[in-house]
Amino acid sequence: MNEHQDSRSVATLLSDLAQQVTTLLQTEARLLRAEMSEKFSTVGSGAVEVLAGAVCLLAALIVLLQALVIALANAGLGAGWSSLVVGVVVAVLGVILLRTGSANLSPSQLNPDRTEEQLKRDLRVVKEQLK
């Protein structure tokens, strides 16, 4: 007789399987919650970057308009052109913040990749155990 043969009954084996599957599902649920919390945190920081970018662009618009007015009034290289340079720099900063923030807000950032992979591995293990 095989010395590694399991002497437990079918009912015991099924009970153990049900308990292990329940534990596995609870663990996967905790992993999903943790990963989604991390993803929502990324979305939150993306939203802050978008808001900061929008504020920078608003400030840039004000400065650029002020620069245009001063430049037209003076028709020379004075305070107006200095304001224009500052406005362009602030506008570039705003565009950069909006782009990075928008990238963090994309739906692909919310996909729970690790949980999905772990569930696939678990499904393979369960299938192997049932064979």
Side-chain angles (χ1 to χ4, degrees):
M1 209 166 182
N2 187 356
E3 64 184 87
H4 296 293
Q5 186 177 8
D6 197 345
S7 62
R8 295 182 291 176
S9 70
V10 172
T12 303
L13 290 173
L14 288 175
S15 173
D16 289 349
L17 177 62
Q19 182 182 14
Q20 290 175 1
V21 168
T22 301
T23 302
L24 176 65
L25 290 175
Q26 290 170 346
T27 303
E28 296 301 339
R30 284 193 299 270
L31 176 62
L32 178 62
R33 282 193 300 270
E35 190 171 359
M36 290 310 293
S37 174
E38 181 182 301
K39 298 288 183 175
F40 285 131
S41 174
T42 301
V43 168
S45 66
V48 168
E49 289 174 342
V50 167
L51 181 61
V55 168
C56 286
L57 286 175
L58 180 60
L61 178 62
I62 292 169
V63 170
L64 288 170
L65 290 174
Q66 176 189 14
L68 180 61
V69 169
I70 292 172
L72 290 174
N74 293 338
L77 296 174
W81 291 108
S82 297
S83 296
L84 184 62
V85 169
V86 169
V88 167
V89 169
V90 172
V92 168
L93 176 64
V95 168
I96 291 169
L97 286 171
L98 279 174
R99 285 190 176 184
T100 58
S102 296
N104 286 337
L105 290 174
S106 70
S108 65
Q109 292 292 327
L110 294 177
N111 190 22
D113 301 323
R114 292 180 304 213
T115 302
E116 187 177 308
E117 286 301 315
Q118 185 62 43
L119 284 172
K120 287 178 184 176
R121 285 192 297 268
D122 293 342
L123 183 59
R124 280 194 300 267
V125 168
V126 168
K127 284 181 181 180
E128 289 173 7
Q129 293 295 322
L130 291 175
K131 289 183 179 179

